[in-house]
Amino acid sequence: GVVFGAIIDESMRVYHAYTEIKDGIQMFRGSKYVQSDLKNTFLEAKSFLDDGRMVCFSGTPCQIQGLKSFLGKEYENLITVDVVCRAVPSPLVLRKYLKYQEQKNGIVNIKRVVFRDKSKYGYGYSSMLVEGENKIYREGIETDPYLRAFFNNYSDRPACFDCKFRNKNRVSDFTIWDCYTIAEFDKNLSDNKATTRMIIQTAKGEKIFEQIKGKCN
């Protein structure tokens, strides 16, 4: 099969891509607090689907709705996964933030950005990490300007707060989001390393879940 998702490349651009190997799925992990460029992924997904390949496409609720509208029909070999999305800033905001990091903090040749760094404070605290050739920057939600603007809705697209897909019922097969209250379900899983919660939205989703239940690690 083929899996589509959002990646951040070495130029700090966030866009959708696909992988046909299991190890390639790793590049889709991690939060990206910026709008992803879909590029030609709808066309690519349709080509794979028409060839009979299994396709899993992940994205925000509006991206999944866009894919379904583009395809114009249901495909039994398509699996869709959306993430609970509060809003997305423009890629221009990220570019300006990285320029700020270069000028204000003297970070040279930025090669990695982590919007939800857990290495220092764990899962329950939002922290930004910017790694360059000469130093690593880490700041939390109270002091980092990108996170402050994002969570205070200063940098988010206004259209996101009038989004008709901001509800519980989605067109995707699965909806996933952070399970901060994991201890209420199983204290053994409360390890401060993050747990994902999921809603199965469709009969196809139920069937797939039954097939993979207990096999994932």
Side-chain angles (χ1 to χ4, degrees):
V2 185
V3 179
F4 287 81
I7 72 170
I8 182 165
D9 69 9
E10 63 279 359
S11 300
M12 303 302 108
R13 296 177 303 126
V14 176
Y15 60 91
H16 264 61
Y18 70 83
T19 183
E20 300 176 75
I21 60 173
K22 185 177 179 180
D23 289 345
I25 297 173
Q26 296 295 326
M27 64 184 177
F28 303 138
R29 299 183 69 183
S31 300
K32 288 99 176 172
Y33 295 155
V34 63
Q35 185 172 351
S36 172
D37 183 353
L38 287 163
K39 292 185 173 290
N40 293 321
T41 51
F42 284 6
L43 284 168
E44 292 166 339
K46 184 178 187 304
S47 179
F48 287 127
L49 290 166
D50 288 339
D51 286 343
R53 302 280 300 278
M54 287 295 298
V55 172
C56 178
F57 199 104
S58 64
T60 60
C62 60
Q63 289 173 334
I64 301 301
Q65 178 67 64
L67 173 66
K68 291 290 190 79
S69 297
F70 171 80
L71 294 174
K73 67 175 185 177
E74 290 295 321
Y75 284 84
E76 189 59 33
N77 50 328
L78 173 65
I79 304 167
T80 51
V81 182
D82 74 61
V83 294
V84 170
C85 169
R86 65 182 304 281
V88 290
S90 162
L92 177 61
V93 178
L94 178 60
R95 290 198 297 271
K96 289 188 173 183
Y97 169 77
L98 295 177
K99 194 69 176 177
Y100 160 86
Q101 288 290 359
E102 293 172 352
Q103 296 174 346
K104 174 79 173 179
N105 295 315
I107 301 178
V108 177
N109 295 330
I110 294 171
K111 59 183 180 181
R112 188 164 72 109
V113 173
V114 181
F115 297 90
R116 191 79 179 278
D117 178 45
K118 307 181 186 78
S119 59
K120 189 172 183 180
Y121 301 108
Y123 174 61
Y125 179 75
S126 289
S127 179
M128 178 73 86
L129 181 149
V130 180
E131 181 179 351
E133 191 177 279
N134 59 331
K135 65 168 69 174
I136 295 177
Y137 161 97
R138 279 191 182 92
E139 290 289 343
I141 190 172
E142 294 91 353
T143 53
D144 178 75
Y146 194 92
L147 293 181
R148 290 190 69 185
F150 177 67
F151 285 106
N152 284 290
N153 305 331
Y154 297 139
S155 62
D156 305 331
R157 292 195 183 282
C160 292
F161 297 97
D162 192 34
C163 175
K164 63 182 179 180
F165 307 111
R166 289 169 66 92
N167 56 61
K168 185 177 179 181
N169 299 314
R170 312 287 178 85
V171 300
S172 60
D173 298 304
F174 300 97
T175 296
I176 59 175
W177 76 104
D178 295 314
C179 186
Y180 290 109
T181 57
I182 185 61
E184 297 178 9
F185 300 94
D186 189 338
K187 291 183 178 179
N188 293 324
L189 294 177
S190 184
D191 56 7
N192 203 30
K193 293 182 180 179
T195 302
T196 298
R197 200 168 180 180
M198 180 174 69
I199 294 176
I200 302 173
Q201 300 280 14
T202 64
K204 183 199 291 185
E206 291 181 4
K207 181 179 178 181
I208 293 166
F209 183 75
E210 286 301 316
Q211 290 174 344
I212 66 173
K213 188 166 60 176
K215 298 179 182 178
C216 302
N217 52 46

